[in-house]
Amino acid sequence: MAILPIVETPDPRLKQVSQPVDAVTDELRRLMDDMLETMYAAPGIGLAAIQVGEPVRVLVIDLQELPEGEEDEDKRVRAPLYFVNPEILERSQEMTTYNEGCLSVPEQYAEIDRPSVIRARWLDYDGNAHEQEIDGFLATVLQHEMDHLEGILFIDHLSKLKRDMVLKKLTKMRKLAA
Ligand SMILES: [Zn+2]
């Protein structure tokens, strides 16, 4: 496995629409393994293939949740999920707001509203098909990652004024780090 460089805004690759995958091959599994390792190292909880420069409809997600009652950060449980060619079939009217961030918009956060419950269809790591209702934090993360497949970043859901503020903060942060 390998840690891949993460594409960051304003790289134009993040604006492109990713293409569906024909089949889940060993080559694709290698990409998913590398994406997962890259995501854990960042660290992050979700990554779309275009964020490592591959314009294919593939996502990895691992919420790495703490078991109930556990407070030790080292006890987070890894449970990787793989989504190939994901599609959203239904969205609830009810919305949920989360303070979102993105590895391609480093260290910037903003509150984004998204449908609370979705019904989604996808292929997994082994190429098996799934169709399932998803709610809670996973629903938000999946919708955030699926936006990447359409060339949409979470900051694109903000007003231009708010988006420009985030991008200004990012530029300032990069200057300080340089
Ligand atoms: Zn993202």
Side-chain angles (χ1 to χ4, degrees), residues 9-174:
T9 191
D11 192 307
R13 283 176 290 179
L14 293 169
K15 299 260 183 209
Q16 77 186 90
V17 176
S18 292
Q19 295 305 306
V21 167
D22 290 331
V24 181
T25 58
D26 285 343
E27 194 190 349
L28 192 74
R29 272 187 278 273
R30 240 179 341 260
L31 172 65
M32 290 193 275
D33 291 343
D34 288 347
M35 285 170 61
L36 200 68
E37 194 181 0
T38 302
M39 185 190 84
Y40 286 141
I45 54 171
L47 194 71
I50 192 61
Q51 292 180 278
V52 292
E54 295 289 339
V56 290
R57 301 183 83 82
V58 174
L59 318 168
V60 294
I61 294 175
D62 190 339
L63 302 181
Q64 300 156 71
E65 287 174 313
L66 275 175
E68 197 135 327
E70 186 59 72
E71 280 172 24
D72 184 352
E73 283 294 319
D74 295 337
K75 298 277 165 64
R76 290 191 174 274
V77 177
R78 282 188 178 180
L81 297 170
Y82 307 86
F83 297 86
V84 177
N85 295 344
E87 287 173 75
I88 294 179
L89 307 170
E90 282 173 64
R91 296 171 170 82
S92 66
Q93 299 272 319
E94 194 200 333
M95 306 287 272
T96 304
T97 309
Y98 273 106
N99 197 31
E100 296 189 18
C102 180
L103 294 177
S104 294
V105 191
E107 291 177 53
Q108 308 305 315
Y109 302 89
E111 296 211 322
I112 308 292
D113 299 325
R114 297 185 189 271
S116 311
V117 188
I118 55 172
R119 185 160 195 88
R121 180 159 66 194
W122 69 95
L123 302 177
D124 65 17
Y125 191 84
D126 299 309
N128 296 319
H130 296 263
E131 188 182 318
Q132 206 178 303
E133 198 171 275
I134 296 172
D135 62 7
F137 190 38
L138 181 58
T140 290
V141 176
L142 183 56
Q143 289 174 85
H144 171 120
E145 298 310 328
M146 284 183 68
D147 269 357
H148 280 295
L149 306 181
E150 308 304 330
I152 298 167
L153 297 175
F154 78 100
I155 51 172
D156 294 327
H157 291 284
L158 299 171
S159 67
K160 186 175 179 328
L161 185 75
K162 277 194 185 165
R163 182 166 56 248
D164 287 349
M165 269 168 56
V166 170
L167 292 173
K168 229 162 124 182
K169 269 172 42 194
L170 183 60
T171 308
K172 207 166 149 188
M173 186 197 84
R174 281 177 175 146

